Structure formats: structure tokens, C-alpha cells
Amino acid sequence: MTIALPPSLRVFERGWLSANGLLCRDPESDADRDADNARPTPATRYRYTLIDTGYVSHAAQTVALLRHALAGAPLARIVNTHLHSDHCGGNAALHAEWGCRITIPAMEAAAVAAWDEDQLSFRATGQECARFVHDDVIAPGDTLQLGGYAWQVLAAPGHDPHALLLFAPEPRILVSGDALWQNGFGVLFPELDGGGGFAEQRVVLDLIAGLDAAVVIPGHGPVFDDVGAAVERARSRLAYLEAEPRRNAVQALRVLIKFRLLQRQHMPDSELLAWMDDASYLHRIRARFFDDAPMTALMAEGIAGLVKAGAARHVDGVLYDHG
Ligand SMILES: [Zn+2]
């Protein structure tokens, strides 16, 4: 079932790990706004903002998608819900194309300005992200005017300590990033380092439950309107993970390997193992959750999980991307 959104909002639902994008359209001026309210004419000029930009290895596809959707208009602005490379990996390419303004969560400003890949988690997780420069920031308590609506900026730690939600009370639409999907939520990365995550995620789910959103535009997967049921599913998943924190670590392992696979398309086991040995995050996961087992054991568990989920094929010692 496709859920109808206002014509000023358009969702690009992407593949397995490239985050969805939300394109917001606003009339350029008051005159254009009047035209928009009546009936947009070819002369009506719009300002376009894209929320989240997909994974770096899909950047060319993201630019092509936008070029088609904008039909000659420029992209004025990018807003990121959080700075994982599947949400901001297209920033640099889109900026190169349109010189758009880039807005990021305020807590990440210093790390982005210095391009500190450790703080930004790219290096630790073995991720790649093309460098970009931000123009301004948003923080919890701010309001963003996009697509003709006022969006409240809300904190959503748990999956990422600096992640943000955007909620427009009037059409009751929530942009949830990786804090809530139709079935679950993103890996609780801070938890893997002992930095908390379960408690934060519970607070975020309570916050979302209290918003009374009618529609959620998630970072991954389809737009959905069974919001109460999705929150309940997320709560039971949280309880399942919290009962055995190693489950969150196993999920992280699968996601990180899948990301790498998206970049490489296929990888011999030897290449995957060398990459895993280089990712400091995986060594910390190994020490905390796998009793310091050899990295080959983690690799085997990650591969088995991806194959079982239908997200990869493993043939003669080579792992292939599959979906
Ligand atoms: Zn994320």
C-alpha cells in the first residue's frame, strides 16, 4: 500500500542500506506561494531541500534521481538527520552539482569542520564518506520550515548519540531516520562501546509514541502509517536486544559487512578479513561480545547471518552482494 503524502513532499525509497531521501518543495517567494495555493503554473518557482542523501557508493545515482525530480531547478539545501555514511554519503556529490547549503546536527559541527573520521565514526566502522563542508546546524528545540510545514527538531539518541527527528504536527508526519522503522530500528552503536543505547532508545520510542504521528517517513524501508504498532514492535525488539546485548553486536557485524559489500559488490574472504582486521569497531565488538574469539569466527557469523537474511550469497569463499 502506498501512503499519500502532501504534494510538497516526495520520498525516494532506496535499496537495502542507502537511506531514503525526502525532497521538500517550497515556493520561492510570496507571489509563488499564492500561485502554489491556487494552482502551480510552469512559472512558479520553488526552493528544494533534500533530507538525507544516501550512501556514498550510490552518490551518482542520487544525483541522477534528483536531477530528474528537480527538472532543471536547483537543489537549495541538504538537511541530515544524522551523519552515518548512508545518510550523508551523497552530500559532497550533490553539493558539487548544485552548490547547495548543507545543514547538519549541531553536535557534529566540530567533527565535520575538522573532518575527524574517528569522531564521525567512518574510520572506526570501516566506512567511506566523501568529505563535505557544512553551512549551518540544527539542534533539538529548533523549527525548520520545509514543504510548507513547520518541523520540530527533536533529539533521538540510541542509534546515534547526535541523531535528530523531524516532526510536523500539522500533517502529523514524522521523519524518523534510524530511530524507528516499520520493523525495528538501527543498530544501537553507542551500546557497542559501552556508551549506553538501550535506555536512550527506550526514551526515544516513548517520545515518538507521545507525538501522535499519523505517518512516518523512515530512514529505510517504506513510509508507514501503523505507527502505534511499529512502536510496539520496536519496543519488543529493544527488550529482545537488551536481554542479550550480544544480539545488538551481531546485528552491527552484519550491517558493517553489508556496507562493505555494497562498496565492493563481491569480496573474497581474505579481503573481507583484512578489512575487518582494520576496523577498530570490530575489534572492540570482538573483545566485548565475542570473548576475544578470532576475527575469522566473527566473519563466519556475519556471513552466515547475511546469507540467512537473503542479503548476500557466499560461493567458493567469495561473498556477493545480493539485494
Ligand atoms: Zn544510521
Side-chain angles (χ1 to χ4, degrees), residues 61-139:
Q61 187 190 74
T62 305
V63 170
L65 255 175
L66 264 289
R67 205 183 282 136
H68 183 74
L70 296 170
L75 180 67
R77 188 181 188 186
I78 289 167
V79 175
N80 293 123
T81 59
H82 64 295
L83 298 187
H84 284 155
S85 57
D86 54 328
H87 291 255
C88 64
N91 283 18
L94 292 168
H95 184 269
E97 182 78 13
W98 287 290
C100 48
R101 177 174 151 208
I102 298 179
T103 303
I104 61 167
M107 297 282 280
E108 301 278 32
V112 168
W115 203 251
D116 179 338
E117 294 207 353
D118 287 320
Q119 259 205 60
L120 289 167
S121 86
F122 302 138
R123 186 174 300 144
T125 54
Q127 305 278 292
E128 289 170 15
C129 184
R131 183 171 185 167
F132 60 87
V133 175
H134 70 280
D135 298 282
D136 53 16
V137 299
I138 47 171

Side-chain angles (χ1 to χ4, degrees), residues 1 15 26 48 65 83 85-86 119 127 147 162 181 189 196 202 259 263 279:
M1 186 184 68
D26 288 275
Y48 289 93
L65 255 175
L83 298 187
S85 57
D86 54 328
Q119 259 205 60
Q127 305 278 292
H162 311 310
W181 302 333
F189 282 107
R202 184 171 302 106
F259 262 115
Q263 278 166 222

Side-chain angles (χ1 to χ4, degrees), residues 10 35 63 79 128 160 184 186 243 263-264 277 283 288 294 298 312:
R10 178 168 173 191
V63 170
V79 175
E128 289 170 15
D160 175 88
Q263 278 166 222
R264 305 290 302 144
D277 251 334
H283 284 280
R288 261 180 75 98
L298 274 73

